[in-house]
Amino acid sequence: MSNENLPIPVIVAGATGKMGRETIKAIAQSPDMTLIGAIGRKHVGEDIGEVVGCGALEIPVTRDLEVLLAQGAQEKQYSVMVDFTHPSLVYEHIRSAIAYGVRPVVGTTGLTPGQLKDLAEFADKASIGAVIAPNFSIGMILLQQAAIAACQYFQHVEIIELHHNQKADAPSGTSLQTAQMLSELGKTYNPALVQEKENIPGARGAVVGENIRLHSVRLPGLIAHQEVIFGAAGETYTLRHDTSDRASYMPGVLLAIRKAIQLKNLVYGLEKLL
């Protein structure tokens, strides 16, 4: 049973990756949370605190998620698994966490609509809270809200997302979520004025939702960036969000951890928790 006076036990999967390292540091600095496990492919056996540079935490890096989930299930306080791993792993990680009664908080993208539906049903049957967020940035949520407001006045819109070249999936989950939000407003975008022809397939990007063009860029030197560009006669309106440090995601991650232990179902999107 949950005890609100106890710190929230947290397991981090993908702890030695870039987002995982920031998450470890954020949890270590949060008095209402305690790190109980770190899953990683590298630095196995080493103290995760020493690995990420925040001082010894007496938590060794391991590859055995099942053992840590079983430990989390035995905690007096509801425990949470934060996942920043890989699209090929995340579905099974979430299923396993829910099966053990550990609340998943997930920033890994690449889940299919069918997988999301299955996970939502599984969490609902188990009465286990879960948070899956394509983006944990408060600034990105504000951009999406501004884009929804702008759609009342523009019929033409395209989305460009830019990420580092180690990102495994394209387009990004955040850009897909943005396109989905705009597509749920009851209008179709970008009415054709000419018969377009792509001389090179893919030159105009992917078509998603209600005829929204989406373009992906992958380059070293980038972290995570998104533009939503609206066009009308004689003007354009551009919304852009830039990430310069992964620490910008941590307020959203910590918020999701605190909310997850209060939920009894799966919530998709950080904006639903604000």
Side-chain angles (χ1 to χ4, degrees):
M1 181 178 292
S2 175
N3 186 329
E4 294 182 359
N5 295 321
L6 295 175
I8 303 168
V10 183
I11 300 162
V12 178
T16 57
K18 293 176 180 178
M19 282 296 292
R21 288 169 179 258
E22 290 296 332
T23 303
I24 293 291
K25 289 187 280 188
I27 291 168
Q29 296 168 6
S30 299
D32 63 336
M33 300 179 192
T34 182
L35 184 72
I36 63 169
I39 300 293
R41 294 181 301 169
K42 301 177 181 179
H43 303 284
V44 174
E46 297 181 38
D47 187 298
I48 188 61
E50 299 286 359
V51 171
V52 307
C54 67
L57 297 175
E58 298 184 357
I59 300 291
V61 179
T62 179
R63 292 178 178 171
D64 199 335
L65 179 61
E66 295 283 335
V67 169
L68 290 181
L69 291 176
Q71 178 185 340
Q74 299 301 315
E75 294 286 336
K76 295 180 181 179
Q77 166 70 303
Y78 289 146
S79 56
V80 172
M81 177 198 73
V82 178
D83 190 291
F84 285 108
T85 55
H86 189 275
S88 64
L89 303 173
V90 63
Y91 175 78
E92 292 300 331
H93 282 190
I94 298 170
R95 289 276 306 187
S96 295
I98 293 173
Y100 275 97
V102 176
R103 276 74 179 153
V105 169
V106 181
T108 310
T109 57
L111 289 165
T112 67
Q115 287 176 324
L116 285 170
K117 182 175 182 294
D118 177 70
L119 291 169
E121 292 174 351
F122 190 40
D124 187 60
K125 289 178 181 177
S127 295
I128 295 294
V131 178
I132 300 176
N135 198 296
F136 282 100
S137 165
I138 305 300
M140 179 56 68
I141 293 174
L142 296 175
L143 179 148
Q144 291 173 331
Q145 292 175 347
I148 289 171
C151 281
Q152 300 177 56
Y153 308 101
F154 292 91
Q155 283 189 292
H156 295 264
V157 59
E158 301 206 8
I159 299 172
I160 304 172
E161 59 94 354
L162 309 90
H163 281 78
H164 54 87
N165 62 339
Q166 296 180 35
K167 182 171 177 57
D169 59 320
S172 69
T174 303
S175 63
L176 285 171
Q177 183 193 37
T178 304
Q180 179 184 359
M181 288 176 166
L182 301 185
S183 296
E184 291 173 350
L185 300 178
K187 62 188 296 185
T188 299
Y189 300 92
N190 304 314
L193 300 179
V194 297
Q195 181 65 43
E196 286 190 358
K197 176 186 177 183
E198 288 185 324
N199 293 324
I200 301 176
R204 287 286 289 116
V207 178
V208 297
E210 294 296 330
N211 201 37
I212 298 173
R213 295 279 179 175
L214 201 162
H215 311 264
S216 295
V217 176
R218 297 290 178 268
L219 288 170
L222 297 171
I223 297 181
H225 316 261
Q226 181 172 293
E227 289 186 1
V228 182
I229 307 174
F230 296 91
E235 66 174 337
T236 60
Y237 176 49
T238 301
L239 299 168
R240 179 168 174 126
H241 180 263
D242 295 290
T243 301
S244 59
D245 192 311
R246 289 175 177 84
S248 63
Y249 298 116
M250 292 305 107
V253 172
L254 298 180
L255 170 67
I257 291 171
R258 295 179 181 116
K259 293 289 188 180
I261 64 171
Q262 303 172 16
L263 298 171
K264 295 188 180 298
N265 62 332
L266 186 150
V267 171
Y268 183 81
L270 186 66
E271 70 280 357
K272 296 183 176 67
L273 302 179
L274 298 179

